[in-house]
Amino acid sequence: MRWNRVLLKLSGEALAGPKKTGFDEDTVKEVARQVKVSVDAGVEVGIVTGGGNFWRGRTSSDMDRTRADQIGMLATVMNCIYVSEIFRNAGMRTEILTPFACGTMTKLFSKDLANEYFSQGKVVFFAGGTGHPYFSTDTGIALRAVEMEADVILLAKSIDGVYDSDPAVNPDAKKYDTITIEEVIDKKLAVVDLTASIMCMEHRISMAVFDLNETDGIANAMQGKINGTIVTV
């Protein structure tokens, strides 16, 4: 299995590495090294990052949800600027697109512009989520995957796949090698949030979940070698 265009989701926590907050440069450099293998092989790569290494606004009941989500959107912009620069230092060309204006730091998203960048062999970072509150970065990557007609969404997580229950709580949790998106929704397995799951189901976008910390996990996943769980449609 080989994909031509993939969208990779990196959680904010993943970018923080063992520090749990902010950036861990060695972790991001290793991500860049692995992504470059596929970029050099001609795979078109889009990146979406979470913002949890900076901001978890939904845990606060004392802040207006709209404002909390706006801070979260800006956290993803900061993450994309940082990761983009690490990618550039690794020898890749990058562009950052946002659904709202960020001065000269990013460019405003359009499908045509993103496709032009992909055709030039650039890694395209989709920052800022959907640009609206009440939508997560899960929904953001599902939206961009549909718009950009991606072959698959790759979810690099701190867990090595999809389980029938939380393996941190249940030592007998069963890991799925493959599972349908309908089963994910019915069993409330929360691979991505419900809105993103339904979008992927309706538009037939497959997902693959794998361990970010597995040796060459990203490089292998981008070549269709998934040592995790494939969520089929």
Side-chain angles (χ1 to χ4, degrees):
M1 184 188 303
R2 185 184 185 279
W3 291 302
N4 295 314
R5 178 176 290 182
V6 303
L7 259 63
L8 172 66
K9 168 78 181 295
L10 299 170
S11 71
E13 291 86 345
L15 300 177
K19 297 192 301 183
K20 307 298 183 183
T21 186
F23 300 119
D24 183 71
E25 188 166 327
D26 289 340
T27 297
V28 182
K29 283 182 175 178
E30 175 58 17
V31 171
R33 181 192 69 79
Q34 294 187 54
V35 170
K36 190 174 188 297
V37 173
S38 290
V39 172
D40 289 347
V43 179
E44 296 175 346
V45 180
I47 306 279
V48 171
T49 70
N53 53 325
F54 285 117
W55 182 251
R56 283 286 181 190
R58 296 186 190 185
T59 61
S60 173
S61 59
D62 298 325
M63 177 175 282
D64 176 75
R65 171 65 182 274
T66 296
R67 293 302 187 196
D69 284 359
Q70 288 170 341
I71 296 172
M73 291 176 216
L74 294 177
T76 71
V77 175
M78 290 192 296
N79 280 343
C80 283
I81 292 172
Y82 177 81
V83 178
S84 170
E85 193 60 23
I86 297 293
F87 276 35
R88 284 173 178 261
N89 287 335
M92 289 174 278
R93 295 181 299 152
T94 67
E95 296 287 351
I96 306 170
L97 301 179
T98 48
F100 43 78
C102 289
T104 60
M105 293 178 287
T106 69
K107 295 183 176 68
L108 202 59
F109 169 80
S110 80
K111 179 175 180 176
D112 289 344
L113 186 58
N115 276 325
E116 176 62 26
Y117 291 147
F118 280 133
S119 73
Q120 295 171 8
K122 295 181 178 180
V123 178
V124 182
F125 287 81
F126 298 104
T130 67
H132 299 283
Y134 295 92
F135 292 99
S136 70
T137 50
D138 286 345
T139 304
I141 194 169
L143 174 63
R144 295 297 178 237
V146 171
E147 288 179 301
M148 303 315 305
E149 302 175 72
D151 296 322
V152 68
I153 294 172
L154 302 179
L155 302 168
K157 292 177 172 279
S158 58
I159 189 171
D160 64 348
V162 179
Y163 287 78
D164 62 356
S165 58
D166 186 350
V169 176
N170 177 16
D172 297 320
K174 173 189 172 185
K175 178 184 170 184
Y176 298 99
D177 292 326
T178 63
I179 187 171
T180 67
I181 189 65
E182 289 89 348
E183 290 178 283
V184 166
I185 294 170
D186 291 343
K187 296 178 180 179
K188 298 181 173 64
L189 296 179
V191 175
V192 290
D193 66 33
L194 183 59
T195 303
S197 296
I198 292 173
M199 286 187 68
C200 288
M201 180 177 66
E202 290 181 342
H203 297 278
R204 304 193 63 77
I205 301 288
S206 297
M207 293 181 283
V209 182
F210 61 96
D211 185 358
L212 172 70
N213 297 309
E214 177 190 346
T215 302
D216 287 329
I218 291 174
N220 289 333
M222 288 192 172
Q223 298 299 321
K225 304 169 187 174
I226 306 297
N227 185 26
T229 303
I230 296 177
V231 181
T232 64
V233 291

